[in-house]
Structures are given as C-alpha cells and as structure tokens.
Amino acid sequence: MSAHTPKLQVQLNERLQKLKEIFIQKFGKTPLFYACAPGRVNLIGEHIDYCGYAVLPMAIEQNILAAVSVNETRTIHLANANPQYNDYTVSAGDIEIDRANPQWQYYFLCGVKGIQEHLGLAEPAGMQCVVDGTVPASSGLSSSSALVCCAGLLTTEANHKTLSKVELAETCARSERYIGTEGGGMDQSISFLAEEGTAKLIEFSPLRATDVKLPADAVFVIANCCVEMNKAATSHFNIRVVECRIAAKMLAKSRGLAWSGLLKLGEVQTELGASLEDMVQIVEEVLHPEPYSREEVCQLLGITPQSFSNDILSPNTQHVSHFKLHQRARHVYGEAARVLQFQAVCERGSDGAVQELGALMQQSHASCRDLYECSCPELDQLVDTCLRAGAAGSRLTGAGWGGCVVSMVPIDVLDSFLPKVRESYYQPDARRSALEKQSLFVTKPGGGAALLFEA
Ligand code: GLA
C-alpha cells in the first residue's frame, strides 16, 4: 500500500495570500483548500521512460499552485493568476480536450477528466480554481505535467476521495495523453513521489521510487537556452515514440518472439532475458543505420500499410515516411545503462564521483544529440558554455528541441560558473539577457505534490 499525498495545515505565505486575494476577487468567496505539484529536472535517462526504462529526476522548487473551492452548479470555472492566460468555464461532466489547440486549460482538464474517469464519478463536483505557476513554460521542466498533476490532485480532494501517490501518478500519466503526446510516466511520477533532499530512481511496471543520494560536493544548475518547445504542438516527440515502437517490433521479430503485442524496447530485453550490452549488440546486428521507409517496415514485419497506419502510428505521425530505428534503439539501450551506472556511482559515493557522474551526463547529451536527435544548436552551445565555465557535466533535460540544460557543478567553482555562463550565453543577446533572471538558477531536490489548508 503506497503512501498518500500529504495534507498540510499552513500559514499562508506571500504567494498563497496573493492567490487567495485573486480568488476572492474572481469568485467572491474564500478558497476551501490549495493544491501544489512541482516541476522536475531529469538528471539522466532521457526518452527512455516510454520504453519501459528507469529514469533519475528530482523535483524542483518551482511548482503549480491552485486555490480551490467547490460549487453546486457542476461547473468548472478556471482562472490563472497570470493575466496572459484566459479564464475558462466548462461543465464538470462534459470535458472535451482540444488536441489541435494545446492551451493551458486543456492540460488542467486532462488531470480533472483522468481522475473523474478513474474514480468513476457519475456526478463530478463543480469547482472554482485559480492557478498560479512558477515553472517556466515550454522549457523542459515539466510545467505541463505539474499542471495535470495539480489538477488531478485537487479534483480528488474536491470529490472527497483519496488516492495513493502511485495511483495519482499513474492516472495523471495516462490522462496527459488526452492532449495527444505519448509521454512515459516520469514527470507525473516524480511530481507525486518526490521528497525533499533526494533525487529518485523511478522504475515502472510496477511504479516505484528509490532515493538516490547526490554527491555533497556539487550542485545542479539549470539554464534555459531560451528556445521554447511545446511538445504537444509538434510531432517530434511522438515520432520518437513511434520509432522506438517499430524498432521493438523489428528486434522482437528477428529473435523469433511474438512481436505484434510488443510495444516497448524494454519488453524485448525482458523477453530475451538479455543484458543491456547484449541489446546494443543485437541492435548492431539486426537494424541498419539508413532510415527505414514505410514499405520496408511493412515488408519486414509482414503487415499491410493499413495495419501500419492504424496499429503502429499515432494520429500526428501519419505523415512520416522514414524512420531511424538503429539510432533510436542504440540511444535507448545505452541511456538505460547510463542511468544504472549513475545510480551505482551515487551509491558508492567515492572521491571521484562528481567527475564520473559528469562524464555520464556528457555521454547522455552526445547520445541525445547524435543518435536521438532531440537537441538543437542553442542547447548544444549552452552545454559547451557550461562545460567551459567549469561544470563536471552538462546535458539537455526533458524532451529537448529547446528548453533547459542541467549542469553538475563542483561547489568550489560555482561562484565563477554563474557569471561565466551569464557573460557568454545570456548577455551578448538582448532577448536572452531579458530572460536571464528566470533562466539560470541553482536547484536542489524539492518535495512532491501536496494539499494545503489554511491553519
Ligand atoms: C517528456 C515526457 C517524459 C519523458 C521526457 C523525455 O518530459 O513527458 O515522459 O519521455 O519527455 O525524457
């Protein structure tokens, strides 16, 4: 039986007080309770959660916070403390998610709808909510999942139900797919399972989180490359998911496994009882580096183009004509091994740990850039800048194609690291310079989602 999300009695700090005032102004009553869910930074293990492999994130201090009250009209009234985002009203029993238009309220409604369905609520509660986010949007720090998780948690409470953290994480991971991205469960899992002061190894099927003690002589610094990436607005993300799915089927078929039900590269490894090193070898033997055409995939799997479109592709990948299977599978098995090495080095905790972990982060970034092709020139430039400024390792974090890098910086060089990155990456460019304050910061492992009640 896994633990429940904490319910805390709190004195309102400045941010909560401000949110309460906005709520009263909007809805003419005081909030009943508050819910918060953090963003995250992934230290290592990129694009492997949806292949079934463990990842190693930590929650950040930035979060999504919402003030909530319940109404009798079965209507959900949503507002955002940031005036840039519009108000939105919808009937609680009739939520539609507009995939073509991935705006903030739809992420919130993914969480609401997912929980309503999971709980089988015939008459879901109406709610008033004001949302306040401090996780920078479209930056790879999981602002969207934090919003889904916050909405899922407050919907549970508004309907007088309780779910375990694991159930909340799994339900919110499934429900974010209403928006159309086929993410794994990393973001939602760490948002619920995080604990202050520790990173977590997150494993799936069954979902579980294990503390990973980070070296005391280094800190993690997040730096945003200032290129925005909204993964629901493009098909990059889902193309990678589909390439991994096809690669899994091809590898399974080549080894005589029943491949048609297999979806994940991790499942192929389990079925074969092979090591990750063996899997890299098998990829080399079975898959060629040239991109595969649709015709070639259909021919090798012995399926019709129709079945390929219906059973393997997703709605926003129907247009893709070529698939890089060798490179994607190489990345996934290599990255899965690096996560385990990272955890082992942290556990051992010797003197050279920071350098070893830094080297693993470097390999991870190179693999994301060259094999998975989810970096961009600005991310690569920022990684180089961070290394030159003294980081032991630096890599893109989150989905990529923009957003943030995370660097591991020995404590004794931190004071010179930050100004060096500022001078070389942010100050020469007016737009970056304007964004610098919220774009470059030291972070430490934060706590998970919680319900808050005014004391
Ligand atoms: C997004 C997804 C996650 C994960 C990362 C890449 O954040 O939501 O599930 O796949 O990208 O590691």
Side-chain angles (χ1 to χ4, degrees):
M1 184 56 196
S2 101
H4 291 143
T5 311
K7 289 188 176 190
L8 308 170
Q9 298 282 331
V10 295
Q11 302 288 342
L12 300 192
N13 61 18
E14 206 181 309
R15 183 170 166 219
L16 280 162
Q17 189 60 46
K18 215 170 129 206
L19 188 60
K20 178 178 175 180
E21 280 156 24
I22 299 175
F23 191 96
I24 295 172
Q25 238 173 37
K26 282 259 171 210
F27 301 122
K29 56 177 178 177
T30 51
L32 208 55
F33 66 92
Y34 302 83
C36 65
R40 58 100 190 94
V41 58
N42 189 21
L43 302 181
I44 195 157
E46 223 59 85
H47 287 279
I48 61 172
D49 57 348
Y50 51 80
C51 298
Y53 285 112
V55 291
L56 213 157
M58 65 191 197
I60 54 176
E61 184 196 343
Q62 289 84 342
N63 65 9
I64 302 287
L65 178 66
V68 189
S69 82
V70 176
N71 65 43
E72 297 303 320
T73 61
R74 306 222 176 279
T75 310
I76 297 177
H77 298 276
L78 279 183
N80 200 304
N82 180 341
Q84 172 191 336
Y85 298 109
N86 290 334
D87 292 2
Y88 193 79
T89 300
V90 64
S91 160
D94 190 20
I95 294 174
E96 299 272 346
I97 313 288
D98 184 358
R99 287 184 173 202
N101 189 14
Q103 291 181 3
W104 80 278
Q105 69 270 16
Y106 294 122
Y107 287 96
F108 188 95
L109 294 172
C110 279
V112 177
K113 189 177 163 79
I115 290 294
Q116 287 179 350
E117 291 182 356
H118 181 73
L119 293 171
L121 300 173
E123 298 197 320
M127 307 184 283
Q128 283 101 338
C129 305
V130 182
V131 173
D132 177 48
T134 51
V135 191
S138 304
S139 64
L141 300 178
S142 198
S143 60
S144 46
S145 301
L147 189 52
V148 175
C149 292
C150 183
L153 176 60
L154 66 84
T155 303
T156 311
E157 178 67 16
N159 286 280
H160 308 292
K161 304 281 186 202
T162 316
L163 293 171
S164 72
K165 291 183 191 184
V166 163
E167 233 175 332
L168 279 162
E170 289 181 334
T171 308
C172 289
R174 270 197 309 277
S175 41
E176 190 163 334
R177 300 196 190 127
Y178 291 131
I179 206 89
T181 36
E182 299 191 66
M186 163 168 67
D187 310 345
Q188 302 81 3
S189 304
I190 190 68
S191 196
F192 283 108
L193 299 172
E195 282 173 295
E196 208 172 325
T198 178
K200 294 276 185 181
L201 180 80
I202 304 276
E203 295 168 277
F204 302 95
S205 315
L207 176 60
R208 58 209 184 277
T210 311
D211 290 1
V212 176
K213 197 167 181 298
L214 298 170
D217 50 350
V219 291
F220 287 90
V221 178
I222 292 176
N224 194 333
C225 81
C226 304
V227 173
E228 285 203 4
M229 157 59 180
N230 177 340
K231 63 183 182 301
T234 67
S235 52
H236 300 316
F237 189 90
N238 283 0
I239 292 175
R240 294 297 177 275
V241 176
V242 158
E243 286 173 320
C244 290
R245 189 179 297 157
I246 302 171
K249 290 178 186 290
M250 299 278 249
L251 293 175
K253 182 150 195 266
S254 80
R255 287 297 183 265
L257 299 177
W259 58 270
S260 74
L262 274 181
L263 293 173
K264 296 179 183 173
L265 286 164
E267 294 168 345
V268 183
Q269 186 198 356
T270 310
E271 290 292 312
L272 291 176
S275 68
L276 285 165
E277 293 68 36
D278 293 340
M279 291 314 297
V280 170
Q281 206 44 51
I282 294 176
V283 170
E284 292 299 338
E285 283 165 28
V286 175
L287 299 172
H288 59 66
E290 297 75 30
Y292 287 72
S293 68
R294 278 171 179 251
E295 294 70 33
E296 189 179 3
V297 174
C298 289
Q299 195 203 352
L300 288 168
L301 290 178
I303 57 172
T304 62
Q306 199 55 39
S307 147
F308 182 67
S309 290
N310 296 347
D311 306 335
I312 299 186
L313 297 182
S314 45
N316 74 346
T317 54
Q318 295 291 333
H319 64 286
V320 183
S321 64
H322 286 80
F323 304 87
K324 292 194 180 176
L325 308 184
H326 174 270
Q327 296 83 340
R328 310 314 183 216
R330 271 290 308 273
H331 165 78
V332 169
Y333 291 126
E335 185 77 356
R338 279 187 288 275
V339 170
L340 301 180
Q341 288 164 27
F342 195 99
Q343 183 202 21
V345 175
C346 287
E347 220 160 78
R348 211 188 56 221
S350 65
D351 272 357
V354 171
Q355 293 316 317
E356 272 184 69
L357 298 175
L360 288 168
M361 291 173 74
Q362 282 323 111
Q363 292 162 22
S364 169
H365 184 74
S367 182
C368 285
R369 181 191 61 212
D370 302 334
L371 296 174
Y372 220 69
E373 296 178 281
C374 62
S375 189
C376 67
E378 292 82 356
L379 280 171
D380 295 339
Q381 187 197 342
L382 186 50
V383 161
D384 284 346
T385 305
C386 293
L387 289 174
R388 268 187 279 113
S394 181
R395 55 179 296 281
L396 70 84
T397 185
W401 296 287
C404 290
V405 309
V406 58
S407 304
M408 186 180 216
V409 182
I411 284 185
D412 53 5
V413 305
L414 184 63
D415 283 350
S416 59
F417 175 85
L418 293 171
K420 279 185 188 159
V421 174
R422 240 173 244 139
E423 272 159 39
S424 352
Y425 192 81
Y426 293 98
Q427 282 166 6
D429 177 298
R431 202 180 73 88
R432 289 179 190 169
S433 189
L435 295 171
E436 183 217 296
K437 252 209 165 63
Q438 71 264 31
S439 298
L440 179 67
F441 52 91
V442 177
T443 187
K444 47 184 192 312
L451 290 163
L452 312 174
F453 297 83
E454 186 173 356

